[in-house]
Amino acid sequence: MPNQARTPEEIEQDLHREIGRILTDETDHRPPANIDSKRYRKVRWFFAKAFISVIWWDIVLNRPILRWFRTPPLPRWQKIARNYRFLAVEMGGVLIKLGQFLSIRVDILPPEVTGELAGLQDEIPPESIEEIIAQIEEDFGRPLSEIFTDFVPEPLGAASLAQVHKANLLSGQEIVVKVLRPNIDVMVETDLTAIALAIRWLKLYKRVSTRVDLDWLAREFTQITRAELDFKAEGKHAEHFRKDFADDPQVYIPKVYQDYCAPRTLTLENVGYIKIGDLQAIDAAGINRSQVSRKYYNIFMEQIFVTNFVHADPHPGNVFVRPLRHPDETDQTDFHPDDPVPYKPNRPFQIVFIDFGMVAVIPERLRAALREYAIGVGTRDAHRVVQSYADAGVLLPNADIKRLEEATADMFDRLWGVKMGQVRDMAESEYKYFVNEYRDIVYEAPFQFPADMLFIMRAIGILSGMATNLDPEFYPLEETIPFAERLAKEELQKNWRGWLEEAVGLGQLML
């Protein structure tokens, strides 16, 4: 018999049965032997409780009459976010990275949720210095004193997978040493196994599984996360970015000291200037936050639409603002990471990127579609935007192209000129309008998301949140228009010969 669409009630029953089998170990999908079983069970139980909560409050009770029994959603999601933060801080690993990503989505998530997760940027406890030193010495096969001097026991920063210590080379050069957390490989494999389980549950919900290749997503997420443990590859990625932005004086990539790197140790130039999320320090130096927001946005436009090599983890801990000499200061003025920076209005700056473990390469088949999308947005061409969706494989086969073009044109008319800080405030009213006007599109949701675009979308999500935090008045379309004009000009210059040959061929045919 052909497959038939299941009712919401059947989906709920499948979810309950699947979760029940897993929690009672009656399923044959048991975790592999090379993971921490205790950690796996704890993470699995958290995801299970979250799924059960969603099923009960947002599916079962989301029915006429039963809605009277529903509690307000915001406190429930806030409680889930708080409990997730507690779990991530306790357990570390990949859970931290997931929470950090959600914490900066201030453009779409309510402050009650992002506020609960925001602490994950700073709450990650470091590993003991004894374990770190022992691992470095094991990596290099000799005592720490023969590799580095003035190794500072207190880390500059502790991230989900690694931590960073200040030190000097034997030559006296000041550097930072990035060291993987001991036994992080086991933690990562455990978390990936638990996340794969949660993704398997999501496959039961057709509204998600028909729009995202969840199997591919699980494989890609696993591959990219494991790649973050490969410091040799990270060093190569940094050099790739350095070459991509070699001609941009406002972008700075730290130098990698290859002779002082090992499988679990990466030695870099110290670039710990002002964190891009430290608004008070940026203001105190006289750096214009609006200019920082625009430059940050344009750097990512360049990555996505031109170089096609994207830093996929640009959270606030991985991006710094480097203050430069002001024209009023002497030529000898040069600020080091720990130096105080006096206030000078409109002080020049550079944006510094670190941590190149997670990168995304935009496949060839999507590059032309993305350029068409940028040109379409910049010129408010709804037809071109929708055509770029089709070229990228984002639309389902039954999508109503004409209605999508109408909705896109309407969106341009209603949202053109809206600042980033206003988006969340307008979300509810605009949602109601589009539901009323385009009910067929909203409920059919004729979109699918190519799995190889999801990490690009993740980076764009982080970009959106950080740009809004820097400058609530930031208007992305204002920056997109000149970028789109540039792309259109390049496209014209690249294709004019082909168009001329076609015109000659048509002329000959007519003759």
Coordinates of all heavy atoms in Angstrom, one line a residue, residues 327-392:
P327 N 44.3 59.1 14.4 CA 45.2 60.1 13.7 C 45.8 61.1 14.7 O 46.8 61.7 14.4 CB 44.2 60.7 12.8 CG 43.2 59.7 12.5 CD 43.0 58.9 13.7
D328 N 45.1 61.3 15.8 CA 45.6 62.3 16.8 C 46.8 61.7 17.6 O 47.4 62.5 18.4 CB 44.5 62.8 17.8 CG 43.5 63.6 17.1 OD1 43.7 64.0 15.9 OD2 42.4 63.8 17.6
E329 N 47.0 60.4 17.6 CA 48.1 59.8 18.4 C 49.4 59.7 17.6 O 49.4 59.8 16.4 CB 47.6 58.4 18.9 CG 46.4 58.5 19.8 CD 45.8 57.2 20.1 OE1 45.8 56.3 19.2 OE2 45.2 57.0 21.2
T330 N 50.5 59.5 18.3 CA 51.8 59.4 17.7 C 51.9 58.2 16.8 O 51.2 57.2 17.0 CB 52.9 59.4 18.8 OG1 52.8 58.2 19.5 CG2 52.8 60.6 19.7
D331 N 52.8 58.2 15.9 CA 53.1 57.1 15.0 C 53.5 55.8 15.7 O 53.4 54.7 15.2 CB 54.1 57.5 14.0 CG 53.6 58.5 13.0 OD1 52.4 58.7 13.0 OD2 54.4 59.2 12.3
Q332 N 54.1 56.0 16.9 CA 54.6 54.9 17.7 C 53.5 54.1 18.5 O 53.7 53.1 19.1 CB 55.7 55.3 18.7 CG 57.0 55.7 18.0 CD 56.9 57.0 17.3 OE1 56.2 57.9 17.8 NE2 57.6 57.2 16.2
T333 N 52.3 54.7 18.5 CA 51.2 54.1 19.2 C 50.8 52.8 18.6 O 50.5 52.6 17.5 CB 50.0 55.0 19.2 OG1 50.3 56.3 19.8 CG2 48.8 54.4 20.1
D334 N 50.9 51.7 19.5 CA 50.5 50.4 19.1 C 50.0 49.6 20.3 O 50.7 49.5 21.3 CB 51.7 49.7 18.5 CG 51.3 48.3 17.9 OD1 50.1 48.1 17.6 OD2 52.2 47.4 17.8
F335 N 48.7 49.2 20.2 CA 48.1 48.6 21.4 C 48.3 47.1 21.4 O 48.1 46.4 20.3 CB 46.6 48.9 21.4 CG 46.3 50.4 21.5 CD1 45.9 51.1 20.4 CD2 46.5 51.0 22.7 CE1 45.6 52.5 20.5 CE2 46.3 52.4 22.8 CZ 45.8 53.1 21.7
H336 N 48.7 46.5 22.5 CA 48.8 45.1 22.7 C 47.5 44.6 23.4 O 46.8 45.4 24.0 CB 50.0 44.7 23.5 CG 51.3 45.1 22.9 ND1 51.9 44.3 21.9 CD2 52.1 46.1 23.0 CE1 53.0 44.8 21.4 NE2 53.2 46.0 22.1
P337 N 47.2 43.3 23.4 CA 45.9 42.8 23.9 C 45.6 43.3 25.3 O 44.4 43.6 25.6 CB 46.1 41.3 23.9 CG 46.9 41.1 22.7 CD 47.9 42.2 22.7
D338 N 46.6 43.5 26.2 CA 46.2 43.8 27.6 C 46.4 45.3 27.9 O 46.2 45.8 29.0 CB 47.2 43.1 28.6 CG 46.9 41.6 28.5 OD1 45.7 41.2 28.3 OD2 47.8 40.8 28.6
D339 N 46.7 46.1 26.9 CA 47.0 47.5 27.1 C 45.7 48.3 27.3 O 44.7 48.0 26.6 CB 47.7 48.1 25.9 CG 49.1 47.7 25.8 OD1 49.6 47.1 26.8 OD2 49.8 47.9 24.7
P340 N 45.7 49.3 28.1 CA 44.5 50.2 28.2 C 44.4 51.1 27.0 O 45.4 51.5 26.4 CB 44.8 51.1 29.5 CG 46.3 51.1 29.6 CD 46.7 49.7 29.1
V341 N 43.2 51.3 26.5 CA 43.0 52.1 25.3 C 42.3 53.4 25.6 O 41.1 53.3 26.0 CB 42.2 51.3 24.2 CG1 42.0 52.0 22.9 CG2 42.9 49.9 24.0
P342 N 42.9 54.5 25.5 CA 42.2 55.8 25.8 C 41.1 56.1 24.8 O 41.2 55.7 23.6 CB 43.3 56.8 25.7 CG 44.4 56.2 24.8 CD 44.3 54.7 25.0
Y343 N 40.1 56.8 25.2 CA 39.0 57.2 24.3 C 39.4 58.2 23.3 O 40.1 59.2 23.5 CB 37.9 57.8 25.2 CG 36.7 58.3 24.3 CD1 35.7 57.4 23.9 CD2 36.6 59.6 23.9 CE1 34.7 57.8 23.1 CE2 35.6 60.1 23.1 CZ 34.6 59.2 22.7 OH 33.6 59.6 21.9
K344 N 39.1 57.9 22.0 CA 39.3 58.8 20.9 C 38.1 58.5 20.0 O 37.8 57.4 19.5 CB 40.6 58.5 20.1 CG 41.9 58.9 20.8 CD 42.1 60.4 20.9 CE 43.4 60.7 21.5 NZ 43.6 62.2 21.6
P345 N 37.3 59.6 19.7 CA 36.1 59.4 18.9 C 36.4 58.8 17.5 O 37.4 59.2 16.9 CB 35.5 60.8 18.8 CG 36.6 61.7 19.1 CD 37.5 61.0 20.1
N346 N 35.6 57.9 17.1 CA 35.8 57.2 15.8 C 37.2 56.6 15.6 O 37.8 56.7 14.5 CB 35.5 58.2 14.7 CG 34.0 58.6 14.6 OD1 33.1 57.7 14.7 ND2 33.7 59.9 14.5
R347 N 37.6 55.9 16.7 CA 38.9 55.3 16.6 C 38.9 54.2 15.5 O 37.9 53.4 15.4 CB 39.3 54.6 17.9 CG 40.6 53.9 17.9 CD 40.9 53.2 19.2 NE 41.2 54.2 20.3 CZ 42.4 54.9 20.4 NH1 43.4 54.6 19.5 NH2 42.6 55.7 21.3
P348 N 39.9 54.1 14.6 CA 39.9 53.0 13.7 C 40.0 51.6 14.4 O 40.5 51.5 15.5 CB 41.2 53.3 12.8 CG 41.5 54.7 13.1 CD 41.0 55.0 14.5
F349 N 39.7 50.6 13.7 CA 39.7 49.3 14.3 C 39.8 48.2 13.2 O 39.7 48.4 12.0 CB 38.3 49.0 15.0 CG 37.1 49.0 14.1 CD1 36.7 47.8 13.5 CD2 36.4 50.2 13.8 CE1 35.6 47.8 12.7 CE2 35.3 50.2 13.0 CZ 34.9 49.0 12.4
Q350 N 40.1 47.0 13.7 CA 40.1 45.8 12.8 C 39.2 44.8 13.5 O 39.1 44.7 14.8 CB 41.5 45.2 12.7 CG 42.5 46.0 11.8 CD 43.9 45.4 11.7 OE1 44.4 44.9 12.8 NE2 44.5 45.4 10.6
I351 N 38.6 43.9 12.7 CA 37.9 42.8 13.3 C 38.7 41.5 13.2 O 39.3 41.2 12.1 CB 36.5 42.6 12.6 CG1 35.6 43.8 12.9 CG2 35.8 41.3 13.0 CD1 34.2 43.7 12.3
V352 N 38.9 40.8 14.3 CA 39.8 39.7 14.4 C 39.0 38.4 14.6 O 38.1 38.4 15.5 CB 40.8 39.9 15.6 CG1 41.8 38.8 15.6 CG2 41.5 41.2 15.5
F353 N 39.3 37.4 13.8 CA 38.6 36.1 14.0 C 39.6 35.1 14.5 O 40.8 35.1 14.1 CB 38.1 35.6 12.6 CG 36.9 36.4 12.1 CD1 37.1 37.5 11.3 CD2 35.7 36.0 12.4 CE1 36.1 38.3 10.8 CE2 34.6 36.7 11.9 CZ 34.8 37.8 11.1
I354 N 39.1 34.2 15.4 CA 39.9 33.1 15.9 C 39.1 31.8 15.8 O 37.9 31.9 15.4 CB 40.4 33.3 17.3 CG1 39.2 33.4 18.3 CG2 41.3 34.5 17.4 CD1 39.6 33.3 19.8
D355 N 39.7 30.7 16.1 CA 39.0 29.4 16.2 C 38.4 29.1 14.8 O 37.2 29.2 14.5 CB 37.9 29.4 17.2 CG 37.4 28.0 17.6 OD1 37.7 27.1 16.8 OD2 36.6 27.9 18.5
F356 N 39.2 28.5 13.9 CA 38.8 28.1 12.6 C 38.5 26.6 12.5 O 38.6 26.0 11.4 CB 39.8 28.5 11.6 CG 40.0 30.0 11.6 CD1 41.0 30.6 12.4 CD2 39.2 30.8 10.8 CE1 41.2 32.0 12.3 CE2 39.4 32.2 10.7 CZ 40.4 32.8 11.5
G357 N 38.1 26.0 13.6 CA 37.9 24.6 13.6 C 36.6 24.2 12.8 O 36.5 23.2 12.1
M358 N 35.6 25.1 12.9 CA 34.3 24.8 12.2 C 34.2 25.8 11.0 O 33.9 27.0 11.2 CB 33.1 25.0 13.2 CG 31.8 24.7 12.6 SD 30.3 25.0 13.7 CE 30.5 23.6 14.8
V359 N 34.3 25.2 9.8 CA 34.1 26.0 8.6 C 33.2 25.3 7.7 O 32.9 24.1 7.8 CB 35.5 26.3 7.9 CG1 36.5 27.0 8.8 CG2 36.1 24.9 7.4
A360 N 32.6 26.1 6.8 CA 31.6 25.5 5.8 C 32.1 26.0 4.5 O 32.3 27.2 4.2 CB 30.2 25.9 6.1
V361 N 32.1 25.0 3.5 CA 32.4 25.4 2.1 C 31.1 25.3 1.3 O 30.5 24.3 1.3 CB 33.5 24.4 1.6 CG1 33.8 24.7 0.1 CG2 34.7 24.4 2.4
I362 N 30.8 26.4 0.7 CA 29.5 26.4 -0.1 C 29.7 25.6 -1.4 O 30.6 26.0 -2.2 CB 29.1 27.9 -0.4 CG1 28.8 28.6 0.9 CG2 27.9 27.9 -1.3 CD1 28.5 30.0 0.8
P363 N 28.9 24.6 -1.6 CA 29.1 23.8 -2.8 C 28.8 24.6 -4.1 O 28.1 25.6 -4.1 CB 28.1 22.7 -2.6 CG 27.1 23.2 -1.7 CD 27.8 24.1 -0.8
E364 N 29.4 24.1 -5.2 CA 29.3 24.8 -6.4 C 27.9 25.0 -6.9 O 27.5 26.1 -7.4 CB 30.1 24.0 -7.5 CG 30.3 24.7 -8.8 CD 31.2 25.9 -8.8 OE1 32.2 25.8 -8.1 OE2 30.9 27.0 -9.4
R365 N 27.1 24.0 -6.7 CA 25.7 24.1 -7.2 C 24.9 25.2 -6.5 O 23.9 25.7 -7.0 CB 25.0 22.8 -7.0 CG 24.8 22.4 -5.5 CD 24.0 21.1 -5.3 NE 23.7 20.9 -3.9 CZ 22.7 21.4 -3.3 NH1 21.9 22.2 -3.9 NH2 22.5 21.2 -2.0
L366 N 25.3 25.7 -5.3 CA 24.6 26.7 -4.6 C 25.1 28.1 -4.8 O 24.4 29.1 -4.4 CB 24.6 26.4 -3.1 CG 23.7 25.2 -2.6 CD1 24.0 24.9 -1.1 CD2 22.3 25.4 -2.9
R367 N 26.3 28.2 -5.3 CA 27.0 29.5 -5.4 C 26.2 30.5 -6.3 O 26.0 31.7 -5.9 CB 28.4 29.4 -5.8 CG 29.3 28.6 -4.8 CD 30.7 28.4 -5.3 NE 31.4 27.5 -4.4 CZ 32.6 27.1 -4.6 NH1 33.3 27.5 -5.6 NH2 33.2 26.3 -3.6
A368 N 25.8 30.0 -7.5 CA 25.1 30.9 -8.4 C 23.7 31.3 -7.8 O 23.3 32.5 -7.9 CB 24.9 30.2 -9.7
A369 N 23.1 30.4 -7.1 CA 21.8 30.7 -6.5 C 21.9 31.7 -5.4 O 21.0 32.6 -5.3 CB 21.1 29.4 -6.0
L370 N 22.9 31.6 -4.6 CA 23.1 32.6 -3.6 C 23.4 34.0 -4.1 O 22.9 35.0 -3.6 CB 24.3 32.1 -2.6 CG 23.9 31.0 -1.7 CD1 25.2 30.5 -1.0 CD2 23.0 31.5 -0.6
R371 N 24.2 34.1 -5.2 CA 24.5 35.4 -5.8 C 23.2 35.9 -6.4 O 22.9 37.1 -6.2 CB 25.5 35.2 -6.9 CG 26.9 34.9 -6.3 CD 27.9 34.5 -7.4 NE 28.2 35.7 -8.3 CZ 29.3 36.5 -8.0 NH1 30.0 36.3 -7.0 NH2 29.5 37.5 -8.8
E372 N 22.4 35.1 -7.0 CA 21.1 35.6 -7.5 C 20.2 36.1 -6.4 O 19.5 37.1 -6.5 CB 20.4 34.4 -8.3 CG 20.9 34.2 -9.7 CD 20.7 35.4 -10.6 OE1 19.6 35.7 -10.9 OE2 21.8 36.0 -11.0
Y373 N 20.2 35.4 -5.3 CA 19.4 35.8 -4.1 C 19.9 37.2 -3.6 O 19.0 38.1 -3.4 CB 19.5 34.8 -3.0 CG 18.8 35.2 -1.7 CD1 17.5 35.1 -1.6 CD2 19.6 35.8 -0.6 CE1 16.8 35.5 -0.4 CE2 18.9 36.2 0.5 CZ 17.6 36.0 0.6 OH 16.9 36.4 1.8
A374 N 21.2 37.4 -3.5 CA 21.7 38.7 -3.0 C 21.3 39.8 -4.0 O 20.8 40.9 -3.6 CB 23.2 38.6 -2.9
I375 N 21.4 39.5 -5.3 CA 21.0 40.6 -6.3 C 19.5 40.8 -6.2 O 19.1 42.0 -6.3 CB 21.5 40.1 -7.7 CG1 23.0 40.0 -7.8 CG2 20.9 41.1 -8.7 CD1 23.5 39.4 -9.0
G376 N 18.7 39.8 -6.1 CA 17.3 39.9 -6.0 C 16.9 40.7 -4.8 O 16.0 41.6 -4.9
V377 N 17.5 40.5 -3.6 CA 17.1 41.2 -2.4 C 17.6 42.7 -2.6 O 16.8 43.6 -2.3 CB 17.8 40.6 -1.2 CG1 17.7 41.5 0.0 CG2 17.2 39.2 -0.9
G378 N 18.8 42.9 -3.1 CA 19.3 44.2 -3.2 C 18.5 45.1 -4.2 O 18.4 46.3 -4.0
T379 N 17.9 44.5 -5.2 CA 17.1 45.2 -6.2 C 15.6 45.1 -5.9 O 14.8 45.5 -6.8 CB 17.4 44.7 -7.6 OG1 17.2 43.3 -7.6 CG2 18.9 44.9 -7.9
R380 N 15.2 44.4 -4.8 CA 13.8 44.2 -4.5 C 13.0 43.5 -5.6 O 11.9 43.8 -6.0 CB 13.1 45.5 -4.2 CG 13.6 46.2 -2.9 CD 13.0 47.5 -2.6 NE 11.6 47.4 -2.3 CZ 10.8 48.4 -1.8 NH1 11.4 49.6 -1.6 NH2 9.6 48.2 -1.5
D381 N 13.7 42.5 -6.2 CA 13.1 41.7 -7.3 C 12.6 40.4 -6.8 O 13.3 39.4 -6.6 CB 14.2 41.5 -8.4 CG 13.7 40.9 -9.7 OD1 12.6 40.2 -9.6 OD2 14.4 41.0 -10.7
A382 N 11.3 40.4 -6.5 CA 10.7 39.2 -5.9 C 10.8 38.0 -6.8 O 11.0 36.9 -6.3 CB 9.2 39.5 -5.6
H383 N 10.7 38.2 -8.1 CA 10.8 37.0 -9.1 C 12.2 36.4 -9.0 O 12.3 35.2 -9.0 CB 10.5 37.5 -10.5 CG 10.8 36.4 -11.5 ND1 10.0 35.4 -11.7 CD2 11.8 36.3 -12.4 CE1 10.5 34.6 -12.7 NE2 11.6 35.2 -13.1
R384 N 13.2 37.3 -8.9 CA 14.6 36.8 -8.9 C 14.8 36.0 -7.6 O 15.6 35.0 -7.6 CB 15.5 38.0 -9.1 CG 16.9 37.6 -9.4 CD 17.7 38.7 -10.0 NE 18.9 38.3 -10.6 CZ 19.7 39.1 -11.4 NH1 19.3 40.3 -11.6 NH2 20.8 38.6 -12.0
V385 N 14.3 36.6 -6.5 CA 14.5 35.9 -5.2 C 13.9 34.5 -5.2 O 14.5 33.5 -4.8 CB 13.9 36.8 -4.1 CG1 13.9 36.0 -2.7 CG2 14.7 38.0 -3.9
V386 N 12.6 34.4 -5.6 CA 12.0 33.1 -5.7 C 12.7 32.1 -6.6 O 12.8 30.9 -6.3 CB 10.5 33.3 -6.0 CG1 9.8 31.9 -6.2 CG2 9.8 34.1 -4.9
Q387 N 13.1 32.7 -7.8 CA 13.9 31.8 -8.7 C 15.1 31.3 -8.0 O 15.5 30.1 -8.3 CB 14.2 32.6 -10.0 CG 14.9 31.7 -11.0 CD 14.0 30.6 -11.5 OE1 12.8 30.7 -11.7 NE2 14.6 29.4 -11.5
S388 N 15.8 32.1 -7.2 CA 17.0 31.6 -6.5 C 16.7 30.5 -5.5 O 17.5 29.6 -5.3 CB 17.7 32.8 -5.8 OG 17.0 33.2 -4.6
Y389 N 15.5 30.6 -4.9 CA 15.0 29.5 -4.1 C 14.9 28.2 -4.9 O 15.4 27.1 -4.4 CB 13.6 29.7 -3.5 CG 13.5 30.9 -2.5 CD1 12.3 31.5 -2.3 CD2 14.6 31.4 -1.8 CE1 12.2 32.6 -1.4 CE2 14.5 32.5 -1.0 CZ 13.3 33.1 -0.8 OH 13.2 34.1 0.1
A390 N 14.3 28.3 -6.0 CA 14.2 27.1 -6.9 C 15.6 26.5 -7.3 O 15.8 25.3 -7.3 CB 13.3 27.4 -8.1
D391 N 16.4 27.4 -7.7 CA 17.8 27.0 -8.2 C 18.6 26.4 -7.1 O 19.4 25.5 -7.3 CB 18.6 28.2 -8.7 CG 18.0 28.8 -10.0 OD1 17.2 28.1 -10.6 OD2 18.3 30.0 -10.3
A392 N 18.3 26.8 -5.8 CA 19.1 26.2 -4.7 C 18.4 24.9 -4.2 O 19.0 24.3 -3.3 CB 19.1 27.3 -3.5

